[in-house]
Amino acid sequence: MMHIAWLGKKSPFCGNVTYGLSTTEALRQRGHSVSFIHFDTPTPSLGRPEAGASELDRVGRPDDNPEVALPYLVKSQMYTIPSPGAQRELRESLERQRPDLVHASLTLSPLDFRLPDLCQQLGLPLVATFHPPFDAGLRNLTAGTQQLTYQLYAPSLAKFDRVIVFSELQAEVLVRLGVRRERLAVIPNGVDTDAWAPAAPGSEPDLAQLRLRVGGRRVFLYMGRVATEKNVEALLKAWRLVRPQGCVLVIVGDGPLRSSLQNGTETDVIWWGYEASRARRVSLLQLAEVFLLPSLVEGLSLALLEAMACGTACVATDAGADGEVLEGGAGIVISTQGVTTQLRTLLPVLRDQPVLTAELGQRARARALERYTLTGNIDALEKLYKELSPQPVAA
C-alpha cells in the first residue's frame, strides 16, 4: 500500500472533480491511501457521506485521509496566486504526512516551479500531470496563448521525476521544447466504461422523460464549457445555417459566453445549462445520436471519452489529443480552421445517414474499451508509482 499526496487541484488528472474522485476511489480500492493538498476551501462532502448524499459525495475519500487547503490570494480557472505563507504550509504538510510519493496537478502557480527542489530536499518522488490545452499546429490566437504556457513550463518540467501527459502528440510538443523523452509518461485519461455505456435493454422508460423534453427529435449534443476555447459559436453558426429538419441541438454546460450566444426564440436549440447529475449526463449521451466538440484547443477531452464510451457518434476537431483519439475511423475529425464550414457540410450528412452514425457510435465504444478505460489508467499509474517508489504496490 502507498500513501500518495495529491497536490494542486482536487485531482492531479484533470479539472473535473467527479473524475478525480472516481480515480481516488479506484486507487483506494486497490489498497492505497490518498491525501489532498490543494488551493481550495475544504469540502466536508469529501468525507463520509450522509444519508441522501449526492453521487459526488458517495465517491469520496475516507475520513482518515487528510485534506489540507493552502491559502491563496487569487484562484481562477486558469491560474492561482498563493498567499505568502502557502509554501511554508505546503512544506509542513508534506513533512507531517510523509507520503511515499507526491503527485501534482500543475495549476499555473508560482509553487509549481518550487516543487522539484522542495520534494528533493524532503526525499520525496515527484510526479506531475501536465494538462493545459494545446494545438500543435498553432493555428489560432488561442493556440498561441497556450503554447506560451508550454514554453514557460518546459524548463521546470525537466526537474520532475516524471511528467504525465495524455498523448504522444502532447509529448512531442514538450520534447521540441527541450523536455527529455524519458521524463515523460503518456497515460491517457480513462472513464468507467461500465457507468458510461450505451443504454441497456429495457432502459427506455429512463429515457422517456428526456425524449419528451426534446420533442422526440434526433439529438445532436455538445457538452462542456461555453467559453472561447470551446468554439461553441462556430457550432451554432453552422447549425443556424443548416437547421437540420427533425433534429435538435442540445448544449449542456455553462460559461462566460452563454448569455451572448443564447437565442431564446430558437426552437431547435436547447440550452440545458450545467448538469450536476452524472446519471443524467449519461442519459443525455445515450439519447444523443451525435456528439459535437468544436474546440480550438484541448488537452484530452473527458466529455469526448464519455460520449465514446456511451456509443455516441463523435465529431471533434484535431485540437490537442482529440484527433488522435478518433483517428482510424473511431469518429470524424475536422480541422480547427474553418469549423463552421466543415460542420455546415457534415450536419446534413449526419442527419440523412442514421446507419453511418450508428456505425460510428459502435466504433467509438470499441475504441474507448480498447484504450481509454479507467482500469487501464489506474494500471498505468500504479506501474509508474512502483518505478519511482520503493514501496510495494498492491495487486
Side-chain angles (χ1 to χ4, degrees):
M1 181 178 106
M2 294 182 65
H3 175 196
I4 304 154
W6 284 359
L7 172 63
K9 298 182 180 180
K10 287 291 179 63
S11 161
F13 307 98
C14 66
N16 185 292
V17 175
T18 303
Y19 177 63
L21 294 176
S22 298
T23 307
T24 306
E25 180 65 13
L27 285 169
R28 283 183 52 230
Q29 289 176 356
R30 298 192 185 193
H32 305 297
S33 174
V34 179
S35 60
F36 290 97
I37 305 174
H38 56 82
F39 293 106
D40 207 346
T41 53
T43 309
S45 64
L46 289 177
R48 295 291 183 192
E50 301 175 357
S54 71
E55 64 176 320
L56 188 62
D57 299 333
R58 291 196 295 269
V59 194
R61 57 168 176 77
D63 290 332
D64 57 358
N65 281 349
E67 179 184 355
V68 177
L70 298 176
Y72 59 88
L73 299 175
V74 177
K75 183 168 70 71
S76 72
Q77 187 81 12
M78 297 300 297
Y79 61 87
T80 304
I81 300 177
S83 297
Q87 184 174 352
R88 184 189 70 253
E89 291 196 28
L90 170 60
R91 184 186 187 99
E92 291 175 353
S93 297
L94 292 175
E95 288 176 334
R96 184 171 59 252
Q97 294 183 18
R98 299 303 304 177
D100 298 308
L101 180 140
V102 176
H103 191 154
S105 172
L106 302 183
T107 57
L108 282 180
S109 160
L111 283 185
D112 292 347
F113 304 98
R114 299 169 187 165
L115 274 175
D117 289 339
L118 174 59
C119 287
Q120 185 176 23
Q121 293 168 13
L122 297 176
L124 298 175
L126 176 61
V127 176
T129 292
F130 189 64
H131 49 67
F134 70 98
D135 174 39
L138 292 180
R139 293 166 289 192
N140 53 70
L141 180 61
T142 303
T145 302
Q146 293 297 337
Q147 181 75 353
L148 291 177
T149 302
Y150 278 70
Q151 292 173 342
L152 175 67
Y153 267 90
S156 179
L157 293 178
K159 300 178 182 179
F160 286 74
D161 293 300
R162 289 292 188 282
V163 177
I164 294 175
V165 294
F166 296 151
S167 72
E168 292 293 343
L169 184 59
Q170 188 185 10
E172 291 172 7
V173 170
L174 288 173
V175 168
R176 289 200 302 268
L177 292 172
V179 180
R180 298 205 313 270
R181 186 61 179 83
E182 58 268 24
R183 294 277 184 179
L184 302 174
V186 178
I187 303 179
N189 283 340
V191 294
D192 182 347
T193 50
D194 291 328
W196 300 90
S203 63
E204 187 63 27
D206 298 331
L207 299 178
Q209 185 178 3
L210 293 179
R211 291 191 187 280
L212 284 175
R213 182 162 176 179
V214 301
R217 292 169 290 182
R218 295 163 63 191
V219 174
F220 288 64
L221 179 71
Y222 168 81
M223 187 176 290
R225 276 175 48 79
V226 185
T228 300
E229 69 274 10
K230 297 298 185 179
N231 204 23
V232 180
E233 181 178 7
L235 168 59
L236 284 168
K237 285 182 179 178
W239 187 268
R240 289 163 177 164
L241 287 168
V242 176
R243 298 286 186 195
Q245 188 174 3
C247 302
V248 60
L249 174 63
V250 179
I251 299 175
V252 181
D254 209 342
L257 295 186
R258 177 176 175 177
S259 59
S260 63
L261 295 179
Q262 185 171 353
N263 182 341
T265 64
E266 293 176 308
T267 60
D268 61 347
V269 179
I270 295 177
W271 291 85
W272 191 277
Y274 173 71
E275 179 56 68
S277 167
R278 185 179 77 170
R280 183 63 62 86
R281 295 198 305 274
V282 171
S283 294
L284 283 164
L285 287 169
Q286 291 172 341
L287 184 65
E289 188 165 337
V290 179
F291 174 83
L292 300 156
L293 188 61
S295 302
L296 294 172
V297 293
E298 278 287 353
L300 172 52
S301 170
L302 186 63
L304 174 61
L305 298 183
E306 291 167 350
M308 293 169 66
C310 287
T312 309
C314 294
V315 178
T317 60
D318 57 355
D322 291 352
E324 183 178 313
V325 168
L326 294 178
E327 67 183 1
I332 297 176
V333 182
I334 61 177
S335 172
T336 58
Q337 293 178 300
V339 169
T340 296
T341 301
Q342 295 169 86
L343 288 178
R344 185 180 181 182
T345 301
L346 273 174
L347 288 174
V349 175
L350 295 170
R351 174 198 61 199
D352 295 338
Q353 298 292 333
V355 175
L356 170 64
T357 58
E359 173 65 22
L360 287 173
Q362 292 174 10
R363 292 185 182 184
R365 170 71 176 175
R367 176 64 57 82
L369 291 172
E370 176 189 0
R371 301 183 187 177
Y372 302 107
T373 64
L374 182 59
T375 298
N377 176 275
I378 300 301
D379 288 344
L381 284 174
E382 281 193 319
K383 181 179 178 182
L384 178 61
Y385 291 164
K386 185 175 182 180
E387 292 175 358
L388 297 177
S389 173
Q391 295 294 325
V393 175

